[in-house]
Structures are given as C-alpha cells and as structure tokens.
Amino acid sequence: MSGSLLRLVCTAAVAATTVLAPTPATAAPEPQSDLGEEPAAVAELLTDLQQLYRKAEEATEAYNATEEKLKKQRAETDRLDRALARTRLSLHDSRGAAGRLARQQYQSSTDISPYVRLLLARDPQHAIDQGHVIGRLARERAGTVGRLTGNERKARDLARKARKALDDQLALTERRKKERDQVRERLHDVEELLASLSRDQLTALAAFEKEGITKAQEKFMASGALGNVGNGGGSGTGIRKPSAEGDRALRHAVRQLGKPYVWGAEGPKSYDCSGLTSQAWAEAGTPIPRTSQEQWKRLKRIPLTELRPGDLVVYFPKATHVALYLGDGMVVQAPRPGAKVKVSPIAANPVLGAVRPDPDGKPLRRYQPPELPEGATDGSDEGYDGEGAYAAPAPDTSTR
C-alpha cells in the first residue's frame, strides 16, 4: 500500500480505539483472519480502504455544505432581482410623474408674485383658497421629486447588492464544482483499490472488518457509555423513550432501509449520511441543518448516557458522519458509497458524541419500537461491496 494511503485516518479495524472521542483509548487486539491472508496485510488493506472512504465522506460533506449555501444564495439573488425589478418600475413611474410636473410648471410659468396676485384679486378669499390649492400642489410636487430621488437611490443600492449577490453565487457555483470533482476523485481512488483486490482478499477484508466491529461494539457496550438504560425499546419502566418528533423521524429513517447511498442525495430514492438524518427530522416537522458538521455544531449536545431513539450520533473528530439512534446500541445510517441504508452497531465508527434536534420534546408515555424488515442489518457497515456503486447527483450546469 502507498504511503499516502496510510497517512489517512480512521478504520473499522481500530474503531474500538476511539469509540468515545473525548477519551483517548488504547488499541484493540488485532482480529485474526483464517481466510488465507496474513492479519497484518488484511489490517493494512482495511486501513487504506477505510481511510479512503473517510476522505470521500469529508469531501462529500464539504460539497453538501457548499450546496446548501448555494441554495440560500440563489434565493437571495432571486429576491434582490425581484426587488430591483419592482423598484425600477416604481422609478419609471416616478420619472413619468416628474416629467409631467416639469411640463406643467413650464406651461403655467409666470413672473407675477403670488402676493401681487392676492392684492390684485377681485375676490381675496378666492385668491386665498386658490393659494391653498397651489400649496397642496406644491407639496405634491415636492413629494414627487422626493419619491424620484428615493427610488433612484434605492435602485442604485439594490443594483449594487444584486451584482454582489450574483458574484457570490458564481463563486459558490465554482467552489461546488471543485468539491464535486474532489468527491469523484476520492471515490475513484476507492474504486482503484477495490479493483486491485482479488475475491479472496475482499472476503478476508469483509470478515476482518466484521470481527473488528464486533469487538469494538462489545467493548463500547461493556464500558457503560450508554448508561443503564442505553436501549430505548420496549415498554418497561426505566427504559428511555423518544419524543413524538423523534419517533416520527426514526420511523421515517427505518422506511428508507435498503435504499442506496448516493453522495449529495437527500431522498427519496437515495441518501448520504446527513441527507438521511436531515430528511428524517424534516419529515418529523423539525428541520435541522443539512450537513453532519452543522448538525453537530448547532444542535443540542447530550451525553451518550441520555441517548433516546431519534437522537443523532455523530462520528469522527471532524463530525463527518452521522446516524439516527435506534436503541439497544444500534443506529440507522447510510454508511458509505456502495452500501445501502441499514441498521448498524453504534460503534461501527468512532463516536464523537450525540445531539438532540428537539431538546424540549417530551418523551412518549408509551412507545413501541419500529418493526425492522428482514435483512435490516445485512451488508457492510463501512460500505464496500466491490460493486462500484458510487452514483452521484446529475451535474447542474446552471449558474443561477
């Protein structure tokens, strides 16, 4: 394996070393393989592959973050364009009114002072009344000029903001393109590594990974990290229950089991990790940030000992992966490219911590866990199956 691959971070084989990010752990014993490969060689392969996946997911979440910013920037650009169009229409009307005012003034111009007119008038009261009318017209004219000036100033300001908004949008579009290319490059590295392996090596790799995750999960659960009521299923006393929103989010996620992981996808046919969690909570009526990093940054953090179904479990030091807590030490997740939405052990990846989208949500009085379909736990928790199923969203060539 190349030195560059070995520089990458985090594998399932060493998942047990960092199951709790705040507390450094010692390395777990290396699982032994009896499938024709030396354990050290299989561990190195797994390390390389897992680190490539990690890089791909980091690039994916960066792409997702830029995509979210681009959506907001498009909306802002459109809003400014509409406001500018309205202001220009109003400016056109103001200029028309100002033009009419100028013509009227030209046509009715006289050198006679209003005071002289009053002295010469046969009916002074009529002249005074006429003066009031003239005063009102003068105020209206002043208002017309003021609106014209104000609309011109507003139009200039909106035009400047609209140009900047469009420049920002173009910059985000270019950045998203670069990040999209980076994701594809990372996934190409994965495909190259997988293509270089024999069927026996893939089999040994899968067995080694499964054994490593099993050991990590056993150690995690034995550590008491989830407390005495770490499950969340059943209806007995002392068992943690979700909120109504958490229940709806979890059930939506369970309905997505078996759908493929596609980077950048938010459903309904495919998902990436944070696409699954954000859409599940959106379906529950509680919108949350799109990316795993923003979910970790902006949502309420909770101790693992307080986990309840529907909460989000965040992984890796940079918060680049996320899953929904199911209960009993299990999560629902979209693992990696090449995998499908599935139920996995909570320690399948190194746990960073947990967040709760509805910290004020009251636990249900009665709770029945969702029924899982057959095969819910099948497949790799790390997402490699040798099929090269690394589909991406259709390219967006628009700049607006």
Side-chain angles (χ1 to χ4, degrees):
M1 290 299 111
S2 69
S4 62
L5 294 180
L6 291 174
R7 286 196 301 269
L8 307 170
V9 194
C10 185
T11 78
V14 295
T17 69
T18 55
V19 290
L20 286 174
T23 305
T26 56
E30 208 172 66
Q32 299 297 308
S33 170
D34 58 357
L35 296 171
E37 290 285 336
E38 289 294 325
V42 177
E44 185 179 353
L45 269 179
L46 185 59
T47 298
D48 289 343
L49 187 57
Q50 285 299 74
Q51 293 165 351
L52 286 177
Y53 273 121
R54 173 81 179 283
K55 279 289 188 181
E57 191 155 49
E58 287 180 5
T60 295
E61 290 299 279
Y63 170 90
N64 289 339
T66 299
E67 176 68 12
E68 283 302 291
K69 291 179 183 177
L70 184 55
K71 287 178 183 178
K72 293 178 181 177
Q73 190 60 51
R74 282 173 177 160
E76 177 65 5
T77 303
D78 290 343
R79 185 190 70 79
L80 287 170
D81 285 347
R82 290 192 298 270
L84 181 57
R86 290 192 300 269
T87 301
R88 282 174 171 166
L89 180 61
S90 180
L91 179 59
H92 179 269
D93 292 343
S94 296
R95 283 173 174 165
R100 289 192 297 272
L101 174 60
R103 289 192 297 272
Q104 290 169 1
Q105 288 178 325
Y106 175 77
Q107 291 167 359
S108 63
S109 63
T110 177
D111 294 332
I112 301 177
S113 165
Y115 300 104
V116 175
R117 289 183 186 177
L118 179 60
L119 291 173
L120 297 178
R122 293 182 179 179
D123 185 352
Q125 183 60 47
H126 175 72
I128 291 173
D129 293 340
Q130 191 177 39
H132 287 309
V133 173
I134 292 172
R136 180 171 58 81
L137 290 174
R139 288 191 296 274
E140 290 178 356
R141 289 170 180 174
T144 298
V145 174
R147 285 192 296 274
L148 174 61
T149 304
N151 283 335
E152 286 180 336
R153 187 183 304 113
K154 185 177 181 182
R156 287 195 299 268
D157 185 53
L158 282 172
R160 178 182 57 79
K161 289 180 178 178
R163 285 193 297 270
K164 184 180 184 305
L166 180 58
D167 289 343
D168 291 344
Q169 181 173 317
L170 293 173
L172 284 171
T173 300
E174 183 62 26
R175 189 166 95 189
R176 185 190 62 167
K177 180 180 180 298
K178 291 179 180 178
E179 289 169 345
R180 179 193 64 201
D181 293 342
Q182 187 178 43
V183 174
R184 290 172 173 168
E185 180 183 345
R186 298 299 186 190
L187 292 178
H188 177 69
D189 292 342
V190 173
E191 288 178 315
E192 274 195 334
L193 179 55
L194 289 174
S196 71
L197 302 179
S198 67
R199 176 54 55 184
D200 287 345
Q201 285 175 314
L202 287 171
T203 300
L205 204 60
F208 191 87
E209 174 212 48
K210 183 176 181 180
E211 189 173 353
I213 291 176
T214 299
K215 288 181 178 292
Q217 179 74 358
E218 289 174 351
K219 183 176 181 179
F220 183 88
M221 298 301 288
S223 71
L226 298 182
N228 296 325
V229 288
N231 55 32
S235 57
T237 58
I239 295 178
R240 201 167 294 116
K241 302 176 182 67
S243 65
E245 292 82 0
D247 184 38
R248 287 197 295 270
L250 180 59
R251 290 180 189 279
H252 177 80
V254 167
R255 289 195 294 272
Q256 312 315 307
L257 290 171
K259 294 183 178 181
Y261 178 109
V262 173
W263 66 269
E266 301 175 71
K269 295 182 178 179
S270 56
Y271 297 88
D272 62 18
C273 69
S274 57
L276 177 65
T277 55
S278 61
Q279 285 302 304
W281 273 95
E283 287 291 323
T286 304
I288 63 174
R290 167 63 174 90
T291 66
S292 57
Q293 291 99 332
E294 285 299 299
Q295 290 169 9
W296 174 246
K297 179 180 178 181
R298 293 167 54 187
L299 300 180
K300 173 72 174 179
R301 297 186 187 180
I302 59 169
L304 293 176
T305 53
E306 296 180 11
L307 266 177
R308 67 187 186 189
D311 288 342
L312 305 184
V313 181
V314 183
Y315 296 91
F316 301 111
K318 294 183 181 179
T320 50
H321 188 66
V322 64
L324 288 99
Y325 189 61
L326 175 64
D328 293 317
M330 305 296 282
V331 296
V332 180
Q333 65 163 340
R336 297 287 190 276
K340 297 178 180 180
V341 178
K342 67 182 298 291
V343 172
S344 303
I346 191 174
N349 293 295
V351 176
L352 175 62
V355 293
R356 179 166 294 162
D358 63 333
D360 297 325
K362 303 300 182 184
L364 293 171
R365 295 184 64 184
R366 307 179 75 177
Y367 172 62
Q368 183 63 38
E371 185 175 347
L372 300 179
E374 185 177 353
T377 61
D378 291 351
S380 170
D381 291 298
E382 297 300 337
Y384 58 90
D385 59 4
E387 299 296 329
Y390 307 127
D396 180 1
T397 57
S398 68
T399 59
R400 295 303 306 271

